[in-house]
Amino acid sequence: MSNAPPWRAVAVALVALVVAGLAVGPLSTLVEGPSFVARITFVNPSEYDLSVDATDGTRDGWVSVGTARKESTTSHEAIIDQGEVWIFRFTGQGRDAGELRMTRRDLERATWTVQIPDSIAAELRAEGAPPTP
């Protein structure tokens, strides 16, 4: 009697290993987390603290970035990367203040610094929002 495993058992074990190996690649992408941008800085010349959210070009869900403090420059770290197109949504005093669309190239050229346009504060003023105390 031989101690070697039967041929069929070896073949089944080999097929199982190949199938398991093929499954690891696709499954690893499910386990990977999102990528992050190290830092984004917001320049907010307005009299309003602004909450900032971001989404990608397909508007596939919003993530909170943080607050852009009034009349200051505020940086936030470890922001989920939105890819090639970033859409920032601003709110202040409980009111929608508008959006700003930027490409990744725009952000890289600006060293990941977002100049909040005057139109954001103008929208809040038009809605009667009082300045942030």
Side-chain angles (χ1 to χ4, degrees):
M1 242 186 185
S2 169
N3 287 338
W7 177 85
R8 189 172 291 195
V10 171
V12 168
L14 185 58
V15 168
L17 285 173
V18 169
V19 169
L22 292 173
V24 168
L27 288 176
S28 68
T29 61
L30 294 175
V31 178
E32 287 180 24
S35 59
F36 291 85
V37 171
R39 175 183 300 218
I40 297 179
T41 300
F42 294 90
V43 178
N44 180 7
S46 81
E47 65 273 26
Y48 300 101
D49 284 349
L50 299 169
S51 295
V52 183
D53 299 315
T55 190
D56 63 14
T58 63
R59 297 177 176 269
D60 187 26
W62 292 88
V63 294
S64 175
V65 175
T67 300
R69 298 285 177 206
K70 70 176 185 170
E71 301 166 343
S72 17
T73 299
T74 310
S75 294
H76 296 283
E77 297 179 353
I79 306 303
I80 294 175
D81 192 341
Q82 299 302 313
E84 291 304 312
V85 174
W86 290 61
I87 300 171
F88 296 101
R89 176 175 64 191
F90 302 96
T91 56
Q93 305 296 57
R95 295 170 170 95
D96 180 24
E99 296 179 354
L100 175 63
R101 182 185 184 279
M102 297 182 77
T103 65
R104 175 179 220 82
R105 185 177 300 199
D106 295 335
L107 288 162
E108 288 171 347
R109 271 192 226 130
T111 61
W112 294 91
T113 298
V114 177
Q115 299 283 334
I116 298 173
D118 293 335
S119 60
I120 299 299
E123 180 67 27
L124 292 173
R125 281 186 220 107
E127 292 183 22
T132 303

